[in-house]
Coordinates of all heavy atoms in Angstrom, one line a residue:
M1 N 5.7 -6.8 -13.6 CA 5.0 -6.7 -12.4 C 4.4 -5.3 -12.2 O 5.0 -4.3 -12.8 CB 5.9 -7.0 -11.2 CG 6.4 -8.4 -11.2 SD 7.2 -8.9 -9.7 CE 8.5 -7.7 -9.5
R2 N 3.4 -5.1 -11.5 CA 2.8 -3.8 -11.3 C 2.8 -3.4 -9.8 O 2.6 -4.3 -9.0 CB 1.3 -3.8 -11.8 CG 1.2 -3.9 -13.3 CD -0.2 -3.6 -13.7 NE -0.2 -3.4 -15.1 CZ -0.1 -2.2 -15.7 NH1 0.1 -1.1 -14.9 NH2 -0.1 -2.0 -17.0
Q3 N 2.9 -2.2 -9.6 CA 2.9 -1.6 -8.2 C 2.2 -0.3 -8.3 O 2.7 0.6 -9.0 CB 4.3 -1.5 -7.6 CG 4.2 -0.9 -6.2 CD 5.6 -0.7 -5.7 OE1 6.6 -1.0 -6.3 NE2 5.7 -0.1 -4.5
A4 N 1.1 -0.1 -7.6 CA 0.3 1.1 -7.6 C 0.1 1.6 -9.0 O 0.2 2.8 -9.2 CB 1.1 2.1 -6.7
G5 N -0.3 0.8 -9.9 CA -0.7 1.2 -11.2 C 0.5 1.4 -12.1 O 0.3 1.8 -13.3
A6 N 1.7 1.2 -11.7 CA 2.9 1.4 -12.6 C 3.6 0.2 -12.8 O 3.7 -0.6 -11.8 CB 3.8 2.5 -12.0
I7 N 4.2 0.0 -13.9 CA 5.0 -1.2 -14.2 C 6.4 -1.0 -13.5 O 7.0 0.1 -13.6 CB 5.2 -1.4 -15.7 CG1 3.8 -1.8 -16.3 CG2 6.2 -2.5 -16.0 CD1 3.8 -1.9 -17.8
V8 N 6.8 -1.9 -12.8 CA 8.2 -1.9 -12.1 C 9.1 -2.9 -12.8 O 8.6 -3.8 -13.5 CB 8.1 -2.1 -10.6 CG1 7.3 -1.0 -10.0 CG2 7.5 -3.4 -10.3
G9 N 10.3 -2.8 -12.5 CA 11.3 -3.8 -13.1 C 10.9 -5.2 -12.8 O 10.1 -5.5 -11.9
R10 N 11.5 -6.1 -13.6 CA 11.2 -7.5 -13.4 C 12.4 -8.2 -12.9 O 13.2 -8.9 -13.6 CB 10.8 -8.1 -14.7 CG 9.5 -7.6 -15.2 CD 9.0 -8.3 -16.4 NE 10.0 -8.3 -17.5 CZ 10.0 -9.1 -18.6 NH1 8.9 -9.8 -18.8 NH2 10.9 -9.0 -19.4
P11 N 12.7 -8.1 -11.6 CA 13.9 -8.7 -11.0 C 13.7 -10.3 -10.9 O 14.7 -10.9 -10.5 CB 14.0 -8.1 -9.6 CG 12.6 -7.8 -9.3 CD 11.9 -7.4 -10.6
V12 N 12.6 -10.8 -11.3 CA 12.3 -12.2 -11.1 C 13.4 -13.0 -11.9 O 13.9 -14.1 -11.3 CB 10.9 -12.6 -11.6 CG1 10.7 -14.1 -11.5 CG2 9.9 -11.9 -10.7
E13 N 13.7 -12.6 -13.1 CA 14.7 -13.3 -13.8 C 16.1 -13.4 -13.1 O 16.8 -14.4 -13.1 CB 15.0 -12.7 -15.2 CG 13.8 -12.8 -16.1 CD 13.0 -11.6 -16.2 OE1 13.4 -10.5 -15.7 OE2 11.8 -11.7 -16.7
K14 N 16.4 -12.4 -12.3 CA 17.7 -12.4 -11.6 C 17.6 -13.2 -10.3 O 18.6 -13.7 -9.8 CB 18.1 -10.9 -11.2 CG 18.4 -10.1 -12.4 CD 18.7 -8.6 -12.0 CE 18.9 -7.8 -13.2 NZ 19.1 -6.4 -12.9
L15 N 16.4 -13.4 -9.8 CA 16.2 -14.2 -8.6 C 15.9 -15.6 -8.8 O 15.8 -16.4 -7.9 CB 15.1 -13.5 -7.8 CG 15.2 -12.1 -7.4 CD1 14.0 -11.5 -6.7 CD2 16.5 -11.9 -6.5
W16 N 15.6 -16.0 -10.1 CA 15.1 -17.3 -10.4 C 15.9 -18.5 -9.8 O 15.4 -19.4 -9.3 CB 15.0 -17.4 -11.9 CG 14.1 -18.5 -12.4 CD1 14.5 -19.8 -12.8 CD2 12.7 -18.4 -12.5 NE1 13.4 -20.5 -13.2 CE2 12.3 -19.7 -13.0 CE3 11.8 -17.5 -12.2 CZ2 10.9 -19.9 -13.2 CZ3 10.4 -17.7 -12.5 CH2 10.0 -18.9 -12.9
D17 N 17.2 -18.4 -9.9 CA 18.1 -19.5 -9.4 C 18.6 -19.3 -8.0 O 19.5 -20.0 -7.6 CB 19.3 -19.6 -10.4 CG 20.2 -18.4 -10.4 OD1 19.8 -17.4 -9.9 OD2 21.3 -18.5 -11.0
R18 N 18.0 -18.4 -7.2 CA 18.4 -18.2 -5.9 C 17.5 -18.7 -4.8 O 17.6 -18.4 -3.6 CB 18.6 -16.7 -5.7 CG 19.7 -16.2 -6.6 CD 20.1 -14.8 -6.3 NE 21.2 -14.4 -7.2 CZ 21.3 -13.2 -7.7 NH1 20.4 -12.2 -7.4 NH2 22.2 -12.9 -8.6
N19 N 16.5 -19.5 -5.2 CA 15.6 -20.2 -4.3 C 14.9 -19.1 -3.4 O 14.8 -19.3 -2.2 CB 16.3 -21.2 -3.5 CG 15.3 -22.2 -2.8 OD1 14.2 -22.4 -3.4 ND2 15.7 -22.8 -1.7
I20 N 14.4 -18.0 -4.0 CA 13.7 -17.0 -3.3 C 12.2 -17.1 -3.6 O 11.8 -17.3 -4.8 CB 14.2 -15.6 -3.7 CG1 15.7 -15.5 -3.2 CG2 13.3 -14.5 -3.1 CD1 16.3 -14.2 -3.6
T21 N 11.4 -17.0 -2.6 CA 9.9 -17.1 -2.8 C 9.4 -15.7 -2.7 O 9.6 -15.0 -1.7 CB 9.3 -17.9 -1.7 OG1 9.8 -19.3 -1.8 CG2 7.8 -18.0 -1.8
L22 N 8.6 -15.2 -3.7 CA 7.9 -13.9 -3.6 C 6.4 -14.2 -3.4 O 5.8 -15.0 -4.1 CB 8.1 -13.2 -5.0 CG 9.5 -12.9 -5.4 CD1 9.5 -12.2 -6.8 CD2 10.2 -12.0 -4.3
T23 N 5.9 -13.6 -2.4 CA 4.5 -13.7 -2.1 C 3.8 -12.3 -2.1 O 4.3 -11.4 -1.5 CB 4.3 -14.4 -0.7 OG1 5.0 -15.6 -0.7 CG2 2.8 -14.6 -0.4
T24 N 2.7 -12.2 -2.8 CA 2.0 -11.0 -2.9 C 0.6 -11.2 -2.4 O 0.0 -12.3 -2.6 CB 2.0 -10.3 -4.3 OG1 1.3 -11.2 -5.2 CG2 3.4 -10.1 -4.7
R25 N -0.1 -10.2 -1.9 CA -1.4 -10.4 -1.4 C -1.9 -9.0 -0.9 O -1.2 -8.2 -0.4 CB -1.4 -11.4 -0.2 CG -2.6 -11.5 0.5 CD -2.5 -12.5 1.6 NE -3.8 -13.0 1.9 CZ -4.2 -14.2 2.2 NH1 -3.2 -15.1 2.3 NH2 -5.4 -14.5 2.4
L26 N -3.2 -8.9 -1.0 CA -3.8 -7.7 -0.5 C -4.1 -7.9 1.0 O -4.3 -9.1 1.4 CB -5.1 -7.4 -1.2 CG -5.0 -7.0 -2.7 CD1 -6.3 -6.9 -3.3 CD2 -4.2 -5.7 -2.8
V27 N -4.3 -6.9 1.8 CA -4.7 -7.0 3.2 C -6.1 -7.5 3.2 O -7.0 -6.9 2.6 CB -4.5 -5.7 4.0 CG1 -5.0 -5.9 5.4 CG2 -3.0 -5.3 3.9
D28 N -6.4 -8.5 4.0 CA -7.7 -9.0 4.1 C -7.9 -9.5 5.6 O -7.0 -9.4 6.4 CB -8.0 -10.1 3.1 CG -7.0 -11.3 3.2 OD1 -6.5 -11.5 4.2 OD2 -6.8 -11.9 2.1
T29 N -9.0 -10.2 5.8 CA -9.3 -10.6 7.2 C -8.4 -11.7 7.6 O -8.2 -11.9 8.8 CB -10.8 -11.1 7.3 OG1 -11.0 -12.2 6.4 CG2 -11.7 -10.0 7.1
V30 N -7.8 -12.4 6.7 CA -6.8 -13.5 7.0 C -5.5 -12.9 7.5 O -4.8 -13.4 8.4 CB -6.6 -14.5 5.8 CG1 -5.5 -15.5 6.1 CG2 -7.9 -15.2 5.5
T31 N -5.0 -11.9 6.8 CA -3.7 -11.3 7.1 C -3.7 -10.1 8.1 O -2.7 -9.8 8.6 CB -3.1 -10.8 5.8 OG1 -3.9 -9.8 5.2 CG2 -2.8 -11.9 4.8
T32 N -4.9 -9.6 8.4 CA -5.0 -8.5 9.3 C -4.3 -8.8 10.7 O -3.6 -7.9 11.2 CB -6.4 -8.0 9.5 OG1 -6.9 -7.6 8.2 CG2 -6.5 -6.8 10.5
P33 N -4.6 -9.9 11.4 CA -3.9 -10.1 12.7 C -2.4 -10.1 12.6 O -1.7 -9.5 13.4 CB -4.4 -11.5 13.1 CG -5.7 -11.7 12.4 CD -5.5 -11.0 11.0
T34 N -1.8 -10.7 11.5 CA -0.4 -10.6 11.3 C 0.1 -9.2 11.1 O 1.1 -8.8 11.7 CB 0.0 -11.5 10.2 OG1 -0.4 -12.9 10.4 CG2 1.5 -11.5 10.0
L35 N -0.6 -8.5 10.3 CA -0.3 -7.1 10.0 C -0.3 -6.3 11.3 O 0.7 -5.5 11.6 CB -1.2 -6.5 9.0 CG -1.0 -5.0 8.7 CD1 0.4 -4.8 8.1 CD2 -2.1 -4.5 7.7
L36 N -1.3 -6.4 12.1 CA -1.4 -5.7 13.4 C -0.3 -6.0 14.3 O 0.3 -5.2 15.0 CB -2.7 -5.9 14.0 CG -3.9 -5.3 13.3 CD1 -5.2 -5.7 14.0 CD2 -3.8 -3.8 13.2
K37 N 0.1 -7.3 14.3 CA 1.2 -7.8 15.2 C 2.5 -7.1 14.8 O 3.3 -6.6 15.6 CB 1.3 -9.3 15.1 CG 2.4 -9.9 16.0 CD 2.4 -11.4 15.9 CE 3.5 -12.0 16.7 NZ 3.5 -13.5 16.6
V38 N 2.8 -7.0 13.5 CA 4.0 -6.4 12.9 C 4.0 -4.9 13.3 O 5.0 -4.3 13.6 CB 4.1 -6.7 11.4 CG1 5.3 -5.9 10.8 CG2 4.3 -8.1 11.2
V39 N 2.8 -4.3 13.1 CA 2.8 -2.8 13.5 C 3.0 -2.6 15.0 O 3.8 -1.7 15.3 CB 1.4 -2.3 13.1 CG1 1.2 -0.8 13.6 CG2 1.2 -2.2 11.5
R40 N 2.4 -3.4 15.8 CA 2.6 -3.3 17.3 C 4.1 -3.5 17.7 O 4.5 -2.9 18.6 CB 1.7 -4.3 18.0 CG 0.3 -3.8 18.1 CD -0.5 -4.7 19.1 NE -1.9 -4.8 18.7 CZ -2.5 -5.8 18.2 NH1 -1.9 -7.0 18.2 NH2 -3.7 -5.8 17.8
S41 N 4.7 -4.4 16.9 CA 6.1 -4.7 17.3 C 7.1 -3.5 16.9 O 8.2 -3.5 17.3 CB 6.6 -5.9 16.6 OG 6.8 -5.7 15.2
G42 N 6.6 -2.6 16.1 CA 7.4 -1.5 15.6 C 8.2 -1.8 14.3 O 8.9 -0.9 13.8
K43 N 8.1 -3.0 13.8 CA 8.8 -3.4 12.6 C 8.2 -2.7 11.4 O 8.9 -2.5 10.4 CB 8.8 -4.9 12.4 CG 9.5 -5.7 13.4 CD 9.5 -7.1 13.2 CE 10.2 -7.9 14.2 NZ 10.1 -9.4 14.1
L44 N 7.0 -2.3 11.4 CA 6.3 -1.6 10.3 C 5.7 -0.3 10.9 O 5.0 -0.4 11.9 CB 5.2 -2.4 9.7 CG 4.4 -1.8 8.6 CD1 5.3 -1.4 7.4 CD2 3.3 -2.7 8.2
Q45 N 6.0 0.8 10.3 CA 5.4 2.1 10.7 C 4.5 2.6 9.6 O 5.0 3.2 8.6 CB 6.6 3.1 11.0 CG 7.4 2.6 12.2 CD 8.6 3.5 12.4 OE1 8.9 4.5 11.6 NE2 9.4 3.2 13.4
P46 N 3.2 2.3 9.7 CA 2.3 2.7 8.7 C 2.3 4.1 8.3 O 2.1 4.5 7.1 CB 0.9 2.3 9.2 CG 1.2 1.5 10.4 CD 2.6 1.7 10.9
S47 N 2.6 5.0 9.2 CA 2.6 6.5 8.8 C 3.6 6.8 7.7 O 3.4 7.7 7.0 CB 2.9 7.3 10.1 OG 4.2 7.0 10.6
K48 N 4.7 6.0 7.6 CA 5.7 6.2 6.6 C 5.2 5.8 5.2 O 5.8 6.2 4.2 CB 7.0 5.4 6.9 CG 7.7 6.0 8.1 CD 9.0 5.3 8.4 CE 9.7 6.0 9.5 NZ 11.1 5.4 9.7
L49 N 4.1 5.0 5.2 CA 3.5 4.6 3.9 C 2.4 5.6 3.4 O 2.1 5.5 2.2 CB 2.9 3.2 4.0 CG 3.8 2.1 4.5 CD1 3.1 0.8 4.8 CD2 5.0 1.9 3.6
V50 N 1.9 6.5 4.2 CA 0.9 7.4 3.8 C 1.5 8.5 3.0 O 2.4 9.2 3.4 CB 0.2 8.0 5.1 CG1 -0.9 9.0 4.7 CG2 -0.5 6.8 5.9
T51 N 1.0 8.6 1.8 CA 1.4 9.7 0.9 C 0.4 10.8 0.7 O 0.8 11.9 0.3 CB 1.8 9.1 -0.5 OG1 0.6 8.4 -1.0 CG2 3.0 8.2 -0.4
H52 N -0.9 10.5 1.0 CA -1.9 11.5 0.8 C -2.9 11.4 2.0 O -3.3 10.3 2.3 CB -2.6 11.3 -0.5 CG -1.8 11.5 -1.7 ND1 -0.8 10.6 -2.1 CD2 -1.8 12.5 -2.6 CE1 -0.2 11.1 -3.2 NE2 -0.8 12.2 -3.5
R53 N -3.4 12.5 2.4 CA -4.4 12.6 3.4 C -5.5 13.5 2.8 O -5.2 14.7 2.5 CB -3.9 13.2 4.8 CG -2.9 12.3 5.4 CD -2.3 13.0 6.7 NE -1.2 12.2 7.2 CZ -1.3 11.2 8.0 NH1 -2.5 10.7 8.4 NH2 -0.2 10.5 8.4
I54 N -6.7 13.0 2.7 CA -7.8 13.7 2.0 C -9.0 13.7 2.8 O -9.3 12.7 3.5 CB -8.0 13.1 0.6 CG1 -6.8 13.1 -0.3 CG2 -9.2 13.8 -0.1 CD1 -6.8 12.4 -1.6
A55 N -9.7 14.9 2.9 CA -10.9 15.0 3.7 C -12.0 14.0 3.2 O -12.1 13.8 2.0 CB -11.5 16.4 3.6
L56 N -12.7 13.5 4.1 CA -13.8 12.5 3.8 C -14.8 13.1 2.8 O -15.3 12.4 2.0 CB -14.5 12.1 5.1 CG -15.5 11.0 5.0 CD1 -15.0 9.7 4.4 CD2 -16.1 10.7 6.4
D57 N -15.1 14.4 2.9 CA -16.0 15.1 2.0 C -15.4 15.0 0.6 O -16.2 15.2 -0.4 CB -16.2 16.5 2.4 CG -17.1 16.6 3.6 OD1 -17.8 15.6 4.0 OD2 -17.2 17.7 4.2
D58 N -14.1 14.8 0.4 CA -13.5 14.8 -0.9 C -13.2 13.3 -1.3 O -12.2 13.0 -2.0 CB -12.2 15.6 -0.9 CG -12.5 17.1 -0.8 OD1 -13.5 17.5 -1.3 OD2 -11.6 17.8 -0.2
V59 N -14.1 12.4 -0.9 CA -13.8 11.0 -1.2 C -13.6 10.7 -2.6 O -12.8 9.8 -3.0 CB -14.9 10.1 -0.6 CG1 -16.2 10.2 -1.3 CG2 -14.5 8.6 -0.5
M60 N -14.3 11.4 -3.5 CA -14.1 11.1 -5.0 C -12.7 11.5 -5.4 O -12.1 10.8 -6.2 CB -15.1 11.8 -5.8 CG -16.5 11.2 -5.6 SD -16.6 9.4 -5.6 CE -16.2 9.0 -7.3
K61 N -12.1 12.6 -4.8 CA -10.8 13.0 -5.1 C -9.8 11.9 -4.6 O -8.8 11.5 -5.3 CB -10.4 14.3 -4.4 CG -9.0 14.7 -4.6 CD -8.7 16.0 -3.9 CE -7.2 16.4 -4.0 NZ -6.9 17.5 -3.2
A62 N -10.1 11.3 -3.5 CA -9.3 10.2 -2.9 C -9.3 9.0 -3.9 O -8.2 8.4 -4.1 CB -9.8 9.8 -1.5
Y63 N -10.5 8.6 -4.4 CA -10.6 7.5 -5.3 C -9.8 7.8 -6.6 O -9.1 7.0 -7.1 CB -12.0 7.2 -5.7 CG -12.7 6.3 -4.8 CD1 -13.6 6.7 -3.9 CD2 -12.4 4.9 -4.8 CE1 -14.3 5.9 -3.0 CE2 -13.0 4.0 -3.9 CZ -13.9 4.5 -3.0 OH -14.5 3.7 -2.1
D64 N -9.9 9.1 -7.1 CA -9.1 9.5 -8.3 C -7.6 9.4 -8.0 O -6.8 9.0 -8.9 CB -9.5 10.9 -8.7 CG -10.9 10.9 -9.3 OD1 -11.4 9.9 -9.7 OD2 -11.5 12.1 -9.4
T65 N -7.2 9.9 -6.8 CA -5.8 9.9 -6.5 C -5.3 8.4 -6.5 O -4.2 8.1 -7.0 CB -5.6 10.5 -5.1 OG1 -6.0 11.9 -5.2 CG2 -4.1 10.5 -4.7
F66 N -6.0 7.5 -5.8 CA -5.5 6.2 -5.7 C -5.6 5.5 -7.1 O -4.8 4.6 -7.4 CB -6.3 5.4 -4.7 CG -5.7 4.1 -4.3 CD1 -4.5 4.1 -3.6 CD2 -6.3 2.9 -4.7 CE1 -3.9 2.9 -3.2 CE2 -5.7 1.7 -4.4 CZ -4.5 1.7 -3.6
G67 N -6.7 5.8 -7.8 CA -6.8 5.2 -9.2 C -5.7 5.6 -10.1 O -5.4 4.9 -11.1
N68 N -5.1 6.8 -9.9 CA -4.0 7.3 -10.7 C -2.7 7.3 -9.9 O -2.0 8.3 -9.9 CB -4.3 8.7 -11.2 CG -5.5 8.7 -12.2 OD1 -5.5 8.0 -13.2 ND2 -6.6 9.4 -11.8
A69 N -2.5 6.2 -9.1 CA -1.4 6.2 -8.1 C -0.1 6.5 -8.7 O 0.7 7.3 -8.1 CB -1.4 4.8 -7.4
A70 N 0.2 6.0 -9.9 CA 1.6 6.2 -10.4 C 1.7 7.7 -10.8 O 2.8 8.3 -10.4 CB 1.8 5.4 -11.7
K71 N 0.7 8.3 -11.4 CA 0.8 9.7 -11.8 C 0.8 10.6 -10.5 O 1.6 11.6 -10.5 CB -0.4 10.0 -12.6 CG -0.5 11.5 -13.0 CD -1.7 11.7 -13.8 CE -1.9 13.2 -14.0 NZ -3.2 13.5 -14.6
E72 N 0.0 10.2 -9.5 CA -0.1 11.0 -8.3 C 1.0 10.8 -7.3 O 1.1 11.5 -6.3 CB -1.5 10.8 -7.7 CG -2.6 11.2 -8.5 CD -2.7 12.7 -8.8 OE1 -2.3 13.5 -7.9 OE2 -3.3 13.1 -9.8
G73 N 1.7 9.7 -7.5 CA 2.7 9.3 -6.5 C 2.1 8.8 -5.2 O 2.6 9.0 -4.1
A74 N 1.0 8.1 -5.3 CA 0.2 7.7 -4.1 C 0.6 6.2 -3.8 O 0.6 5.4 -4.6 CB -1.3 7.8 -4.4
L75 N 0.8 6.0 -2.5 CA 1.0 4.7 -2.0 C -0.2 4.3 -1.1 O -0.9 3.3 -1.4 CB 2.3 4.6 -1.2 CG 2.7 3.2 -0.7 CD1 2.8 2.2 -1.8 CD2 4.0 3.3 0.1
K76 N -0.4 5.1 -0.1 CA -1.6 4.9 0.8 C -2.3 6.2 0.9 O -1.7 7.3 1.2 CB -1.2 4.4 2.2 CG -0.6 3.0 2.2 CD -1.6 2.0 1.7 CE -1.0 0.6 1.7 NZ -1.9 -0.3 1.0
V77 N -3.6 6.2 0.7 CA -4.4 7.4 0.8 C -5.3 7.3 2.0 O -6.0 6.3 2.2 CB -5.3 7.6 -0.5 CG1 -6.2 8.8 -0.3 CG2 -4.4 7.7 -1.7
I78 N -5.2 8.2 2.9 CA -6.0 8.2 4.2 C -7.1 9.2 4.0 O -6.9 10.4 3.6 CB -5.1 8.6 5.4 CG1 -4.0 7.6 5.5 CG2 -5.9 8.8 6.6 CD1 -4.4 6.3 5.9
L79 N -8.3 8.8 4.4 CA -9.5 9.7 4.5 C -9.6 10.3 5.9 O -9.5 9.5 6.9 CB -10.8 9.0 4.1 CG -10.9 8.5 2.7 CD1 -12.1 7.6 2.5 CD2 -10.9 9.7 1.8
K80 N -9.6 11.6 6.0 CA -9.7 12.3 7.3 C -11.1 12.7 7.5 O -11.8 13.3 6.7 CB -8.8 13.6 7.3 CG -7.4 13.3 7.0 CD -6.6 14.6 7.1 CE -7.1 15.7 6.2 NZ -6.4 16.9 6.2
N81 N -11.6 12.5 8.8 CA -12.8 13.1 9.2 C -12.6 14.5 9.5 O -11.6 14.9 10.2 CB -13.2 12.3 10.5 CG -14.6 12.7 11.0 OD1 -15.1 13.8 10.8 ND2 -15.3 11.7 11.6
Q82 N -13.5 15.4 9.1 CA -13.3 16.8 9.3 C -13.1 17.2 10.8 O -12.4 18.2 11.1 CB -14.4 17.6 8.7 CG -14.4 17.9 7.2 CD -14.3 16.6 6.4 OE1 -14.8 15.5 6.7 NE2 -13.6 16.7 5.3
R83 N -13.7 16.5 11.7 CA -13.5 16.8 13.1 C -12.1 16.5 13.6 O -11.6 17.0 14.6 CB -14.5 16.0 13.9 CG -15.9 16.4 13.7 CD -16.8 15.5 14.5 NE -17.2 14.5 13.6 CZ -18.1 13.6 13.8 NH1 -18.7 13.5 15.0 NH2 -18.4 12.7 12.9
E84 N -11.3 15.8 12.8 CA -9.9 15.5 13.1 C -9.0 16.6 12.6 O -7.8 16.7 13.0 CB -9.4 14.1 12.5 CG -10.2 13.0 13.1 CD -9.8 11.7 12.4 OE1 -8.9 11.7 11.5 OE2 -10.4 10.7 12.7
A85 N -9.4 17.4 11.6 CA -8.6 18.4 11.0 C -8.1 19.4 12.0 O -7.2 19.6 12.4 CB -9.4 19.1 9.9

């Protein structure tokens, strides 16, 4: 299995006989309402997932950081508008 560009352990073999369902998916228009509901409930705190904040003018650095997520230790990269700095 891969996570942020790095291979992670394969616990699937250990879970195989435990009747556990693993579901993966990217955030899209179908899952956004559910995601927002979970954030509003406080069960998910997105700020804890942000590992990098990069200026919008440095968007290529942000792409490089996310593209090399394992090396950079990036989970979520946020682009900042300079007026917010």
Side-chain angles (χ1 to χ4, degrees):
M1 294 193 308
R2 291 189 164 271
Q3 176 182 357
I7 295 174
V8 295
R10 296 185 307 167
V12 176
E13 289 98 16
K14 295 178 183 175
L15 302 176
W16 200 260
D17 63 347
R18 296 189 181 143
N19 199 25
I20 294 175
T21 301
L22 299 176
T23 304
T24 63
R25 172 179 203 143
L26 296 173
V27 175
D28 57 26
T29 57
V30 173
T31 59
T32 298
T34 301
L35 177 61
L36 291 174
K37 183 178 178 181
V38 173
V39 170
R40 281 190 212 114
S41 75
K43 292 179 182 177
L44 176 65
Q45 297 174 356
S47 61
K48 292 184 176 185
L49 303 175
V50 177
T51 55
H52 294 73
R53 296 176 189 275
I54 300 174
L56 185 57
D57 287 346
D58 292 328
V59 69
M60 293 313 295
K61 178 182 176 185
Y63 274 107
D64 288 341
T65 299
F66 194 71
N68 296 302
K71 178 183 170 192
E72 298 291 335
L75 183 57
K76 294 295 177 189
V77 177
I78 299 294
L79 292 173
K80 299 184 302 182
N81 186 333
Q82 278 58 31
R83 290 177 270 188
E84 295 175 4

